[in-house]
């Protein structure tokens, strides 16, 4: 097992930070190219006219999760040494609700708002400012009240295969099936006539391409 | 003249940089005509504010007796203190008048802000159309302050320059014409708008001893400085309004709400033009045979007509060269594939995923640490960024997000998408969009902390590693996203 490389060999902290900037540049570049600097394109996801966000999201998930599995099978990447977000059922449940509500109000998520702000969009900048206020309010104002939720349902470093008692390969296979199903539905709706928001639209339904 | 369109009149008037001379009788007619300048709410708030300031300044000056700050003469302090019997009463009066002042202004701000959000018909200045840096600056100010009449623009900077040189005796150029407020008033307005919250906040901190000792101590000089800045402008404001003979009509307009047309014509030519065009617009609706001489003085009407003939057909817009469109976005599956590879690379090298939101909390903690180190080090949440000798800024995430900003700018520049603009639904104004984006940001920032990461740090990173909680988070966030989008549909569709 040669990877994670930086956990096997010692590399100067300066180089780690330098590479982090390069990775960030690629991250920002891809997000911008996907169209995530545009709040309308992201929001269109929720009005059934442009499923770019869910397509990018699930493609990343299947490439990433299948890739990790293969890297492990080839004997290159030690999955015990990588960071897996810890599970706190209540924290993630309530956090998901608050964050999901923010999607409809603001149209960005923290990462995409930075992309938008960097390309000069004033709404992106306002969103970043708001996200900063919201982030700091968690520690400064709400922490005492939300502490129990934040820490609630702690299950530690647990993954779906362990949780369901299935082979990781089977779970990744199910994820791929689910993603393909989602893509199929997304394409159907994008090209079809079904439009639950028809009577609310002031502009014709379209995919923002530029 | 009947065949003159409103648009022609507006354009022709714009060729007059300075108000042309009028005959004495024309001036008389204009002096008789009144134009409304302020509405009742503004007048009431103005005088409430003026009276409060007088009382606050008198009692405030008499309160300052410490050797370091004292500036009022002893007899003044004695008189004021004598009126209130005890210093305690004096302080009480100052504090409670201040509280009333804050409450009134809060009410005014809240109601004003609702009006400001609702007023969608307000002329919006397109942000992305202009290349000129001053126009951009003005557009940004207008989004923030809401009223275009209050934003400093290019002419204002010119006005300030000429005015300053004029006072120093270095220039005798005529001043450029001004809108409903001149540059000096706008600049002072900006100063007052910035200082009033400072005065309120420091005043409340001092009065009710809120926060740590150093905060209360610092509030004292800050309170004085802010008041000093406002008062320095106030002297000019009062002198101009109440003493300076040329500005007399402005003073009476603060009581009656009206000024004579001549005053606007001479001192706020740009504003006068706006009003005339508007007047012409709806006079035409009620009476199609209205002539230009009904609206303008004879000699001016002649000049305008001549200008219109000279300019020819102004109704037609000259065709603009078509802008090159930005590049197309990537195919979503390709973008997702590249993003997946990037995540794999990061896992392969660092053994971790990518994120975004903790950049904000880390920067925030860093800033807190500069102001109140003992607060963050003992805080149950923020202190985590200092464990094991770590620092908030010494982290992968900080450098990664700096990269995101560079990469996003680079990509948008290359694709011709990098420009100052606002993305919003067709049914809302820029201001509503900015307000909603800020509010959405607050929810998003808070939610990301509760869930231990945002869509990237929790959703993608946790999703790829098949973390149980992350998958729960993804489904909840997307589901609630659809629900919240339904509620806010009129903002996006």
């Amino acid at each position: 097992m040669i990877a994670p490389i930086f956990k096997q060999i010692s590399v100067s902290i300066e180089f780690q930070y330098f590479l982090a900037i390069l990775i960030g540049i690629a991250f920002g570049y891809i997000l911008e190219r996907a169209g995530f600097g545009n709040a309308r394109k992201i929001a269109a996801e929720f009005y059934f006219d442009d499923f770019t966000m869910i397509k990018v999201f699930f493609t990343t998930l299947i490439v990433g999760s299948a890739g990790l599995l293969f890297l492990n099978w080839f004997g290159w990447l030690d999955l015990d040494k990588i960071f897996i977000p810890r599970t706190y059922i209540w924290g993630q449940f309530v956090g998901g609700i608050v964050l999901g509500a923010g999607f409809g109000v603001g149209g960005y998520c923290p990462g995409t708002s930075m992309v938008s702000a960097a390309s000069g969009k004033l709404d992106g900048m306002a969103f970043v400012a708001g996200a900063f206020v919201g982030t700091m309010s968690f520690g400064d104002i709400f922490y005492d009240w939300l502490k129990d939720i934040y820490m609630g349902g702690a299950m530690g470093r647990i993954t779906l295969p362990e949780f369901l008692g299935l082979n990781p390969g089977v779970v990744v296979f199910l994820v791929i099936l689910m993603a393909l199903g989602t893509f199929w539905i997304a394409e159907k709706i994008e090209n079809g006539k079904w439009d639950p928001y028809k009577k609310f639209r002031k502009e014709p339904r379209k995919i923002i391409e530029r | 003249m009947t065949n003159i369109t409103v648009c022609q009149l507006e354009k022709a008037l714009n060729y007059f940089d300075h108000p042309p001379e009028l005959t004495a009788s024309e001036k008389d007619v204009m002096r008789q005509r009144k134009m409304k300048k302020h509405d009742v709410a503004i007048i009431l708030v103005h005088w409430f504010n003026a009276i409060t300031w007088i009382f606050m300044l008198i009692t405030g000056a008499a309160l300052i007796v410490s050797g370091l700050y004292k500036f009022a003469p002893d007899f003044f302090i004695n008189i004021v203190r004598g009126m209130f019997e005890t210093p305690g009463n004096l302080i009480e009066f100052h504090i409670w008048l201040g509280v009333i002042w804050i409450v009134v202004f809060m009410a005014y701000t809240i109601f004003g802000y609702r009006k400001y959000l609702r007023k969608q018909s307000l002329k919006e200045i397109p942000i992305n159309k202009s290349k000129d840096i001053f126009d951009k600056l003005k557009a940004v100010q207008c989004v923030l302050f809401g009223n275009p009449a209050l934003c400093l623009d290019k002419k204002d900077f010119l006005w300030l320059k000429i005015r300053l040189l004029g006072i120093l005796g270095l220039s005798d150029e005529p001043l450029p014409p001004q809108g409903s407020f001149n540059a000096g008033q706008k600049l002072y307005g900006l100063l007052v708008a910035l200082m009033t919250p400072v005065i309120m906040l420091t005043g409340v901190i001092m009065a009710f001893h809120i926060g740590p000792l150093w905060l209360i101590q610092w509030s004292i000089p800050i309170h004085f400085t802010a008041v000093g800045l406002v008062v320095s402008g106030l002297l000019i404001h009062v002198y101009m309004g109440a003493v300076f003979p040329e500005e007399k009509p402005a003073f009476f307009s603060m009581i009656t709400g009206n000024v004579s047309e001549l005053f606007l014509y001479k001192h706020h030519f740009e504003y006068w033009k706006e009003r005339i065009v508007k007047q012409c617009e709806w006079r035409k609706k009620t009476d199609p045979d209205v002539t230009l001489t009904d609206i303008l003085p004879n000699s001016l009407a002649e000049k305008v007509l001549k200008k219109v003939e000279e300019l020819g057909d102004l109704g037609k817009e000259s065709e603009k060269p078509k802008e090159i469109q930005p590049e197309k976005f990537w195919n979503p599956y390709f973008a997702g594939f590249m993003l997946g590879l990037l995540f794999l690379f990061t896992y392969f090298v660092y053994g971790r995923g990518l994120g975004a939101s903790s950049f904000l909390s880390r920067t925030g903690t860093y800033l807190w640490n500069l102001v109140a180190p003992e607060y963050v080090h003992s805080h149950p949440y923020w202190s985590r960024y200092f464990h094991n000798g770590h620092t908030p800024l010494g982290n992968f995430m900080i450098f990664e997000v700096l990269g995101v900003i560079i990469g996003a700018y680079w990509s948008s520049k290359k694709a011709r998408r990098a420009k100052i603009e606002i993305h919003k639904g067709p049914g809302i104004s820029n201001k509503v969009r900015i307000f909603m984006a800020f509010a959405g940001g607050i929810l998003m920032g808070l939610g990301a902390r509760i869930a231990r990461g945002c869509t990237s740090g929790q959703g993608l990173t946790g999703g790829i590693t098949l973390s149980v909680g992350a998958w729960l988070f993804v489904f909840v966030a997307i589901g609630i996203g659809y629900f919240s989008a339904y509620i806010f549909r009129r903002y996006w569709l």
Side-chain angles (χ1 to χ4, degrees), chain A residues 5-6 16-17 29 32-33 47 83 87 101 104 108-109 121-123 131 139-140 150 160 187 202 209-210, chain B residues 326-327 329-330 333 349-351 368 375 379 382 411 414 417 421 423 444 452 455 466 469 484-485 492:
Chain A
I5 294 174
F6 288 177
Q16 292 197 19
Y17 289 159
Y29 193 94
E32 210 284 335
R33 287 284 150 163
Y47 299 106
F83 167 76
T87 295
Y108 295 109
C109 66
K121 315 298 177 240
L122 294 175
D123 51 332
D140 289 332
Y150 178 69
L160 285 175
E187 296 292 343
K202 293 179 203 75
E209 284 186 324
R210 290 169 195 275
Chain B
E327 284 173 30
F329 292 128
W330 279 355
Y333 300 115
V349 178
Y350 287 86
W368 258 132
Y375 168 73
H379 191 280
W382 299 136
S411 166
K414 238 178 94 190
R417 278 191 289 267
E421 61 179 340
H423 287 307
M444 198 60 88
R452 296 177 168 75
T455 358
L466 304 177
S484 144
W492 291 106

Side-chain angles (χ1 to χ4, degrees), chain A residues 24-38 41-42 50 52-53 56 112 115-116 119 208-210, chain B residues 325-336 338-339 404 406-418:
Chain A
I25 290 177
F27 191 28
Y29 193 94
I30 296 170
L31 288 178
E32 210 284 335
R33 287 284 150 163
F36 290 162
N38 186 334
K41 195 167 173 67
I42 301 176
D50 182 345
T52 302
M53 191 194 82
V56 174
T112 54
V115 171
S116 161
S119 55
I208 298 169
E209 284 186 324
R210 290 169 195 275
Chain B
Q325 275 196 314
E327 284 173 30
K328 275 195 173 182
F329 292 128
W330 279 355
N331 177 307
Y333 300 115
F334 175 68
M338 297 305 285
L339 203 54
V404 167
I406 301 170
Y409 176 72
W410 177 36
S411 166
S412 63
K413 192 86 198 160
K414 238 178 94 190
R416 294 184 292 273
R417 278 191 289 267

Side-chain angles (χ1 to χ4, degrees), chain B residues 56-277:
Chain B
M56 290 303 267
L57 284 177
I58 291 174
T59 52
L63 274 172
I64 308 167
V65 283
S66 108
L68 274 172
Y69 298 118
K70 189 183 138 199
F71 64 95
D74 284 335
F75 76 87
F76 174 82
I77 295 174
N78 288 336
I79 291 173
V80 178
R81 296 212 156 193
M83 284 197 296
F84 286 90
E85 281 183 43
T86 64
N89 286 346
L90 183 60
I91 293 178
E92 291 266 294
F93 179 81
H94 191 81
I95 288 175
W96 290 112
L97 187 60
V99 170
I100 293 170
W101 181 63
I102 291 173
V103 169
V104 170
F105 262 76
M106 286 294 197
Y108 180 69
T109 316
I110 290 165
F111 284 110
Y113 204 71
R114 275 178 50 200
K115 196 175 157 197
Y116 158 91
L117 284 179
R118 255 198 238 135
K119 223 188 203 172
Q120 291 172 13
S121 59
L122 205 122
K123 206 159 119 199
E124 289 197 21
I125 291 148
I127 296 172
N128 47 352
K129 290 258 169 66
S130 170
K131 288 251 178 292
D132 191 45
I133 181 91
F134 286 105
D135 284 349
K136 280 190 177 172
L137 182 72
K138 186 181 177 190
V140 172
Q141 282 185 70
C142 287
V143 171
L144 290 179
F145 297 115
N147 188 349
L150 288 173
C151 314
L152 286 163
D153 60 15
K154 200 176 185 174
K155 272 184 189 150
D156 292 323
F157 287 109
L158 195 66
W159 189 93
L160 284 175
K161 194 180 120 198
I162 295 177
R163 186 89 231 204
L164 204 67
L165 292 177
I167 291 171
L168 296 173
L170 296 173
S171 159
D172 50 2
E173 266 181 85
L175 291 169
Q178 293 286 306
S180 62
F181 296 102
N182 69 35
Q185 288 168 324
K186 285 182 194 174
L187 207 61
Y188 181 52
L190 205 62
L191 179 78
V192 172
L194 290 176
M195 286 306 139
T196 307
V198 174
I199 295 172
M200 288 178 174
L201 201 68
T202 49
V204 169
I205 289 172
M206 285 193 292
F208 303 106
H209 298 274
I210 296 163
L213 191 64
W214 59 264
L215 188 66
I216 301 170
Q217 284 171 334
W218 272 106
S219 293
I220 302 169
I222 294 173
H223 194 74
F224 294 168
T225 319
V227 171
L229 284 173
V230 175
V231 168
S232 63
L234 203 58
L235 295 177
I236 304 171
H237 177 76
V238 171
Y239 170 75
M240 292 294 270
V243 186
F244 200 55
E246 243 188 285
E247 293 277 343
K248 267 274 144 65
F251 177 75
F252 288 110
S253 80
M254 223 49 242
I255 297 170
T256 61
N258 297 323
V259 279
S260 77
E261 192 184 348
L262 188 66
F263 179 77
L264 285 186
Y265 182 73
K266 270 188 170 170
H267 297 274
H268 302 281
F269 187 52
E270 291 292 321
Y271 182 56
W272 174 82
K273 279 187 203 167
E274 255 174 57
R275 296 291 294 261
I276 283 296
V277 171

Side-chain angles (χ1 to χ4, degrees), chain B residues 453-475:
Chain B
C454 58
T455 358
S456 337
Q458 186 66 250
L460 282 171
T461 305
I464 286 171
T465 51
L466 304 177
S467 157
V468 174
W471 277 82
L472 173 76
F473 165 81
V474 168
F475 284 117

